[in-house]
């Protein structure tokens, strides 16, 4: 392999009414003991990071920092962040970010990795640019790393791609050595091999004689070293670098018919790959958008059609609106990502405590003293509300001993399992209140010692489950565990994106998400594909003037995403069959849309 001298590696920007209960002396003792023990209420902290630019970080000590101070030097881990896709981080990288006191970044856009994997209060230093907006030198970056280490604690130097490939690792390691700072190096996935892999281009075949990686960076190179017809040449850089490579290789005798793959924003959902020949590469490079680009030059590019897997995903590049809280949207966003889409969560409801907590307090007391035979959870929010009340009283999952537990579906069941509780009852088919009612056994005065059910639910919950249980002989305490109120409108750019068709699709998981989204942001543009989780949600969408394109086969988040992916695959197949370019719905901006299939 032939390599040019080490310089900064160009990496694509990367782009959730109860009856009165008897007095409970046992619970009162527990609560009173907890009040004595906890003189100050526990304060919950949201995950926050403080970011400083390189220029500010270089001046004095950050007095607001919570990291360890003292004479003992910290330790620096030089960690590869990969080329853009967060999924390419190594397990070791994730562990180190989670334990870091300070993370020093190459580019501020990587702060999302720290927000995702870092601990609360971690300090983030942007070593890419100074306060004046100018790129920092290698020497300046090295000083920032040493300064962070001298303050003590664990420092992660998060470097784009792989630390040992086209980065400033050599300078920063030398600075650590000089300052007596200990360090280690955690390899990462480099753009050199990751971007071609995501573009569907293998870098070698049995006939490949050599693999040459070149980063011109404006220097004059001897291109004759890379002109062998059997060599694969990977060129990293800007459009100007790629154009220079084209001129140099042609002058050195490489055939103008040599195939080339040109990829920008590699490994992200905005990745774009075009194919050309060496003879047309200079013009193609000139049309690049100015972002870091990877060019693969060689016969291996001819294999792209049969090896392409990333840009051919059914929802590749789609921007999908998920009107749900971040806590509830995790499963949907993950599945959308698997199909190549980028999910944008817009909360449409806000979950708040009930206005009067007495009902919940009495119900929890009754739960501890054996008032109930069953407790039924119809949402993750209900699980969270009861769990918070347990924590307030100093109780844990052991209080459920002897109690039968029902859950409306898999997501709610998973929330219970995280608490250490395995549900006794789940719907056999439909994951809904009606499905849970169908699975719930009627009251039997011989088999059931107690005839009462505790249902902690939202203030706007329907009466289907309560009425059915009463009809089957149960006494039901239907208790408001939380209130759902309409969330504040999203930011202006998001509202504009919804109305102008910048989103390719929107996924509705309930009727309330339809009503609330329209209420706080307006109706999605006619070009936006509308996907609904079930018939009731679809009916609500149609009542609000929306045409429903996709209907889930089953009322679950997984089924909803799979249905949308199948729809996207159908659009892609139709375009290819017609010999037309594959365009996302937002690129078409057509008011005429297909109905649900």
């Amino acid at each position: 392999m032939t390599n040019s001298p080490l310089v900064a590696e160009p990496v694509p920007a990367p782009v959730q009414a109860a009856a009165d209960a008897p007095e409970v002396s046992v619970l009162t003792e527990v609560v009173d003991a907890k009040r004595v023990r906890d003189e100050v209420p526990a304060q919950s902290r949201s995950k926050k990071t403080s970011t400083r630019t390189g220029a500010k970080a270089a001046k004095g000590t950050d007095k607001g920092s919570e990291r360890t101070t003292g004479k003992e030097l910290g330790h620096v881990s030089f960690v590869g962040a990969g080329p853009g896709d967060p999924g390419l981080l190594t397990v070791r990288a994730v562990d180190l970010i989670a334990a870091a006191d300070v993370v020093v970044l190459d580019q501020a856009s990587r702060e999302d990795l720290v927000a995702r994997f870092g601990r609360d209060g971690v300090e983030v230093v942007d070593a890419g640019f100074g306060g004046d907006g100018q790129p920092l030198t290698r020497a300046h970056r090295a000083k920032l790393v040493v300064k962070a280490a001298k303050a003590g604690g664990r420092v992660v130097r998060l470097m784009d791609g792989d630390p040992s490939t086209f980065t400033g690792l050599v300078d920063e390691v030398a600075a650590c050595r000089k300052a007596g700072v200990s360090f280690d190096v955690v390899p990462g996935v480099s753009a050199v091999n990751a971007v071609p892999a995501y573009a569907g281009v293998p870098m070698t075949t049995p006939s490949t004689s050599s693999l040459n990686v070149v980063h011109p960076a404006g220097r004059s190179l001897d291109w004759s070293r890379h002109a062998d017809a059997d060599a694969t040449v990977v060129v990293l850089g800007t459009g100007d670098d790629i154009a220079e490579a084209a001129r140099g290789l042609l002058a050195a005798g490489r055939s103008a018919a040599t195939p080339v793959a040109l990829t920008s924003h590699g490994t992200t959902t905005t990745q774009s790959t075009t194919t050309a020949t060496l003879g047309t590469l200079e013009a193609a490079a000139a049309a690049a958008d100015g972002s870091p680009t990877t060019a693969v030059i060689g016969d291996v590019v001819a294999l792209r059609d049969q090896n392409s897997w990333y840009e051919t995903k059914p929802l590749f590049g789609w921007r999908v609106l998920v009107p749900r809280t971040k806590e509830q949207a995790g499963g949907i966003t993950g599945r959308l990502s698997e199909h190549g889409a980028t999910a944008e969560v817009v909360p449409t409801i806000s979950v708040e405590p009930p206005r009067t907590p007495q009902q919940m307090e009495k119900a929890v007391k009754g739960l501890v003293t054996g008032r109930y035979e069953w407790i039924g959870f119809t949402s993750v929010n209900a699980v969270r509300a009861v769990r918070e009340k347990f924590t307030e009283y100093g109780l844990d999952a052991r209080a459920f001993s002897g109690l039968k537990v029902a859950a409306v579906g898999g997501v709610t069941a998973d929330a219970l399992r995280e608490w250490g509780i395995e549900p006794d009852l789940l719907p056999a088919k439909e994951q809904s209140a009606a499905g849970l009612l169908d699975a719930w056994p009627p009251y039997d005065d011989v088999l059931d010692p107690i005839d009462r059910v505790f249902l902690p639910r939202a203030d706007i919950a329907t009466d289907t489950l309560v009425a059915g249980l009463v009809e089957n002989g149960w006494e039901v305490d239907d208790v408001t565990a939380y209130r759902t109120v309409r969330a504040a409108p999203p930011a202006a750019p998001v509202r504009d994106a919804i109305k102008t068709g910048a989103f390719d699709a929107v996924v509705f998981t309930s009727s309330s998400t339809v009503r609330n989204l329209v209420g706080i942001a307006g109706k999605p543009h006619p070009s936006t594909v509308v996907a609904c989780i079930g018939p009731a949600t679809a009916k609500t969408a149609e009542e609000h003037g929306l045409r429903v394109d996709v209907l889930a086969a089953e009322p679950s988040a997984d089924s909803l995403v799979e249905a949308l992916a199948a729809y996207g695959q159908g659009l892609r197949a139709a375009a290819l069959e017609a010999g037309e370019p594959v365009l996302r719905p937002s690129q078409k901006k057509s008011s005429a849309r297909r109905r649900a299939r």
Side-chain angles (χ1 to χ4, degrees), residues 118-396:
R119 65 171 181 78
D120 293 343
V122 62
E123 181 183 345
V124 179
V125 177
D126 177 10
F129 295 87
D132 57 0
Q134 296 300 312
L136 297 181
T137 64
R138 288 188 177 189
H140 200 157
R141 293 185 180 191
K143 288 180 181 179
L144 288 177
V145 173
V146 171
K147 183 181 184 300
K150 284 184 175 179
R154 299 179 179 181
V155 178
V156 167
R157 173 64 172 101
L158 204 57
M159 309 186 86
D160 293 335
D162 175 71
S164 63
T165 309
F166 300 118
T167 69
L169 178 67
V170 173
D171 303 280
E172 295 179 26
V173 164
C176 287
R177 285 281 191 191
K178 184 176 180 180
V181 174
S182 62
F183 66 90
D184 57 8
V185 179
V186 179
V189 178
S190 172
V192 171
N193 59 308
V195 174
Y198 272 54
V201 179
M203 291 196 294
T204 65
T205 67
S207 62
T208 302
S209 61
S210 62
L211 173 60
N212 306 336
V213 181
V214 186
H215 181 199
R219 296 164 299 171
S220 296
L221 301 178
D222 181 4
W223 290 101
S224 64
R225 300 167 58 189
H226 314 295
D228 191 327
D230 294 328
T232 298
V233 180
V234 179
V235 183
L236 307 172
T238 63
D240 290 341
D241 292 324
I242 306 300
E244 173 60 27
R247 289 190 294 268
L249 287 171
L250 287 171
R254 193 82 188 250
S255 171
T258 305
V260 178
L262 197 63
T263 304
S264 59
H265 305 286
T267 78
T268 72
T269 53
T270 57
Q271 174 178 306
S272 176
T273 301
T274 58
T275 54
T277 63
L278 190 57
T280 61
L281 178 57
E282 185 174 354
D289 62 3
S291 62
T293 304
T294 302
V296 181
I297 303 168
D299 292 339
V300 292
V301 176
L303 298 173
R304 168 173 156 77
D305 287 343
Q306 69 185 54
N307 285 277
S308 183
W309 61 274
Y310 187 57
E311 293 176 41
T312 55
K313 287 188 173 186
L315 301 178
F316 178 76
W318 284 40
R319 185 182 179 190
V320 180
L321 177 65
V322 182
R324 222 174 185 197
T325 63
K326 290 184 178 180
E327 293 78 10
Q328 294 174 318
I332 290 180
T333 58
R335 293 302 300 271
L336 286 170
S337 178
E338 291 175 5
H339 289 293
T342 298
E344 190 163 335
V345 178
V346 174
T348 56
I349 63 168
S350 176
V351 178
E352 298 182 2
R355 289 189 174 90
T356 56
Q358 288 81 3
Q359 276 191 326
M360 272 290 285
E361 292 173 356
K362 289 181 180 180
V364 171
K365 290 178 182 179
L367 186 151
V368 172
T369 56
R371 177 178 174 81
Y372 300 107
E373 177 81 2
W374 283 92
I375 180 171
F377 291 100
T378 57
S379 70
V380 172
N381 288 327
V383 177
R384 185 179 297 113
V386 173
R387 189 170 183 175
E388 288 175 354
K389 188 62 68 173
F390 267 46
T391 301
E392 179 183 336
Y393 287 164
L395 301 171
D396 57 32

Side-chain angles (χ1 to χ4, degrees), residues 464-476:
T464 302
L465 182 58
V466 174
L469 289 174
V470 171
E471 185 177 345
N472 286 336
W474 295 99
E475 295 288 334
V476 181

Side-chain angles (χ1 to χ4, degrees), residues 352-359 459 480-485:
E352 298 182 2
R355 289 189 174 90
T356 56
Q358 288 81 3
Q359 276 191 326
D459 57 333
T480 298
Y482 61 94
R483 292 183 299 121
T484 56
V485 299

Side-chain angles (χ1 to χ4, degrees), residues 68-161:
T68 307
T69 59
K71 294 183 179 180
E72 184 177 353
L73 295 177
H75 178 84
V76 177
S77 293
F78 294 94
V79 177
D85 183 353
L88 295 181
L89 279 176
T90 65
V91 174
R92 179 62 174 156
V94 171
D95 290 343
L96 287 171
I97 294 172
D101 298 302
V102 182
V103 178
V104 183
L105 301 174
D106 275 341
Q107 51 182 309
S109 59
R110 289 306 181 92
E111 191 174 349
D112 65 330
L113 296 179
V114 185
R116 180 173 178 178
F117 300 111
R119 65 171 181 78
D120 293 343
V122 62
E123 181 183 345
V124 179
V125 177
D126 177 10
F129 295 87
D132 57 0
Q134 296 300 312
L136 297 181
T137 64
R138 288 188 177 189
H140 200 157
R141 293 185 180 191
K143 288 180 181 179
L144 288 177
V145 173
V146 171
K147 183 181 184 300
K150 284 184 175 179
R154 299 179 179 181
V155 178
V156 167
R157 173 64 172 101
L158 204 57
M159 309 186 86
D160 293 335

